[in-house]
C-alpha cells in the first residue's frame, strides 16, 4: 500500500492503512453493497453523470439509501484526485454494520461509504491484442446491478487467467452476455455489434461511448444478440471497460480471431476514443 495514501471512509479522509470497517459490516458478511468505477483523465471525471445515474440505479434496485447528492459525491471525489495523471475513482456503498448477522435488512443502520483513487495502470502492448476463452455464464440474473458481490465474475476471470487469457467471454444459453469485468463487441459482416442491455449484463459506460462514437463516425453498429458460433466467425472481437478502455482479442478458445491480427476497426475506434478522452478532459476543466 502506498504510504500516506488517503482514502474516504464514512465522512473522513484518512490514511489507507488506518481505514477500517466493522466485521459486522454487511459488505463484509454478505457482499451486500454496490460500487462504481469512474475514470479520471487529467483531473476530469469521465462521464460523471452517467456513472452517478448507474450508481443511483444500483442503489434503488438494492434498496440501499443514497447518502449523498450528485454534487456532494463530486465534492468528496475531488480531494482524492491527482490531476497530473490518469486515474480512476473506486467507490462503494454497503448497507452498513448491523448488531447481528441476519439476512433481512437491518433497521436504523447507516450505509458504509468507502472511496479511493488509483492510477490507471497502462495495459502493456494493448496493440498486440489479447487471448480470451468462452465460459458458461453461471452468474445470477441481476447483472445490471453493479454489486460488490463478485464471486461469480471472479471465478470466471480466474478460469481465463489459468488458461493464459486476459479475459473470459461469458455465454448464456449459447449467446454472449459480456466479459467477466467488461462488455463485449464483435465485428460481424462489417457491422459492429454488442449484446443489448438487459438484466444479464452490466450497462457499461465505455460501451455507450463506443456506440456513440460509431454512430457519429458512420461506422455501422447494432445492439443485437451474438451467438457463440457467430462470435467464432467474427472479424474482430473487443472488450470494453473503464479501466482497460478497448482491448482487441486476437485468439478465442485457442483459435485465431480472423487472421489473428488486431483489426482495422479497432485501430479506428481506439483513435476515436483517445481523441474523445482528450477533448473531454479539456472541455470539463
Ligand atoms: N468493471 N461488465 C462488467 C461485469 C464489469 O465489471 C464492467 C466494468 C463492465 C464495463 O463497464 P464500464 O464500461 O462502465 O467500466 C461491464 C469495472 C471496471 C470493475 O469492476 O473494476
Amino acid at each position: 500500500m502506498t504510504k500516506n495514501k488517503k482514502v474516504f471512509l464514512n465522512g473522513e479522509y484518512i490514511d489507507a492503512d488506518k481505514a477500517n470497517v466493522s466485521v459486522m459490516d454487511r459488505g463484509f458478511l454478505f457482499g451486500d453493497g454496490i460500487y462504481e468505477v469512474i475514470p479520471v483523465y487529467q483531473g476530469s471525471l469521465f462521464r460523471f453523470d452517467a456513472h452517478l445515474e448507474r450508481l443511483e440505479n444500483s442503489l434503488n434496485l438494492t434498496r440501499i439509501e443514497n447518502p449523498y447528492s450528485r454534487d456532494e459525491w463530486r465534492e468528496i471525489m475531488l480531494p482524492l484526485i491527482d490531476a497530473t495523471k490518469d486515474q480512476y475513482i473506486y467507490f462503494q456503498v454497503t448497507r452498513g454494520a448491523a448488531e447481528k448477522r441476519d439476512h433481512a435488512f437491518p433497521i436504523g443502520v447507516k450505509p458504509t461509504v468507502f472511496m479511493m483513487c488509483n492510477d490507471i495502470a497502462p495495459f502493456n502492448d494493448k496493440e498486440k491484442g489479447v487471448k480470451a476463452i468462452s465460459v458458461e455464464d453461471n452468474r445470477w440474473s441481476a447483472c445490471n446491478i453493479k454489486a460488490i458481490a463478485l464471486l461469480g465474475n471472479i471465478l470466471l476471470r480466474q478460469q481465463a487467467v489459468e488458461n493464459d487469457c486476459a479475459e473470459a467471454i461469458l455465454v448464456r444459453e449459447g449467446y454472449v452476455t459480456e466479459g467477466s469485468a467488461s462488455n463485449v463487441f464483435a465485428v460481424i459482416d462489417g457491422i459492429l455489434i454488442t449484446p443489448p442491455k438487459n438484466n444479464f449484463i452490466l450497462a457499461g459506460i465505455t460501451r455507450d461511448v463506443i456506440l456513440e462514437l460509431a454512430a457519429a463516425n458512420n461506422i455501422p453498429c447494432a445492439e443485437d444478440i451474438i451467438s457463440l458460433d457467430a462470435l467464432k466467425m467474427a472479424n474482430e472481437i473487443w472488450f470494453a471497460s473503464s479501466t482497460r478502455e478497448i482491448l482487441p482479442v486476437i485468439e478465442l478458445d485457442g483459435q485465431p480471431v480472423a487472421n489473428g491480427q488486431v483489426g482495422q476497426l479497432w485501430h479506428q475506434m481506439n483513435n476515436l476514443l483517445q481523441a474523445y478522452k482528450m477533448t473531454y478532459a479539456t472541455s470539463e476543466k
Side-chain angles (χ1 to χ4, degrees):
M1 197 179 291
T2 322
K3 225 171 167 259
N4 298 329
K5 182 184 160 71
K6 294 276 185 212
V7 299
F8 176 89
L9 182 63
N10 294 332
E12 285 181 293
Y13 296 95
I14 45 180
D15 290 340
D17 57 0
K18 302 212 173 61
N20 294 305
V21 287
S22 163
V23 291
M24 295 308 289
D25 195 275
R26 291 177 63 95
F28 180 66
L29 289 176
F30 294 114
D32 183 2
I34 59 92
Y35 76 107
E36 264 305 322
V37 177
I38 311 183
V40 192
Y41 299 121
Q42 306 297 308
S44 152
L45 289 151
F46 189 67
R47 297 261 168 147
F48 173 83
D49 281 306
H51 281 279
L52 265 286
E53 198 180 319
R54 190 170 66 185
L55 177 91
E56 289 155 9
N57 189 46
S58 296
L59 289 169
N60 285 337
L61 290 170
T62 50
R63 294 159 60 193
I64 296 174
E65 176 202 331
N66 188 348
Y68 300 114
S69 68
R70 281 194 194 181
D71 284 346
E72 287 168 335
W73 277 117
R74 189 193 284 272
E75 288 303 309
I76 292 167
M77 289 171 197
L78 295 179
L80 296 172
I81 296 169
D82 177 347
T84 65
K85 305 171 174 183
D86 286 347
Q87 298 185 306
Y88 67 91
I89 290 277
Y90 171 92
F91 60 119
Q92 63 171 52
V93 185
T94 78
R95 205 179 302 278
E99 267 174 29
K100 61 179 175 53
R101 181 181 178 277
D102 181 350
H103 288 60
F105 297 174
I107 292 164
V109 166
K110 278 172 90 179
T112 300
V113 178
F114 169 64
M115 187 184 294
M116 62 182 168
C117 188
N118 294 319
D119 296 350
I120 293 184
F123 196 95
N124 289 330
D125 295 333
K126 192 186 265 184
E127 282 80 9
K128 284 192 182 158
V130 298
K131 297 183 199 171
I133 53 162
S134 62
V135 292
E136 197 195 316
D137 188 349
N138 58 4
R139 300 172 303 161
W140 68 337
S141 56
C143 302
N144 51 325
I145 300 174
K146 202 162 169 60
I148 60 167
L150 286 172
L151 192 53
N153 305 60
I154 287 167
L155 293 175
L156 297 170
R157 166 64 72 82
Q158 189 60 22
Q159 233 175 295
V161 170
E162 288 171 7
N163 282 279
D164 194 28
C165 289
E167 177 62 307
I169 293 180
L170 316 189
V171 178
R172 199 181 278 264
E173 294 177 359
Y175 290 89
V176 175
T177 52
E178 58 180 343
S180 73
S182 57
N183 291 115
V184 173
F185 282 81
V187 180
I188 298 172
D189 294 334
I191 301 174
L192 179 63
I193 306 177
T194 193
K197 287 181 186 175
N198 58 33
N199 56 308
F200 293 117
I201 74 165
L202 182 80
I205 309 300
T206 321
R207 176 189 176 283
D208 284 346
V209 173
I210 291 170
L211 288 173
E212 284 174 31
L213 289 173
N217 291 277
N218 300 317
I219 298 169
C221 61
E223 296 177 77
D224 203 353
I225 52 171
I226 307 172
S227 70
L228 179 58
D229 290 341
L231 190 73
K232 291 198 167 175
M233 305 298 289
N235 293 111
E236 299 189 27
I237 302 174
W238 314 336
F239 293 116
S241 77
S242 292
T243 44
R244 289 179 167 187
E245 302 181 345
I246 31 176
L247 262 190
V249 181
I250 51 159
E251 194 181 294
L252 172 61
D253 294 336
Q255 299 297 318
V257 175
N259 63 2
Q261 305 291 314
V262 173
Q264 179 267 328
L265 199 54
W266 180 82
H267 284 288
Q268 188 185 351
M269 184 55 77
N270 190 45
N271 288 339
L272 289 170
L273 183 64
Q274 298 311 322
Y276 180 73
K277 270 166 53 183
M278 295 291 288
T279 50
Y280 195 92
T282 326
S283 65
E284 281 288 293
K285 265 184 219 162

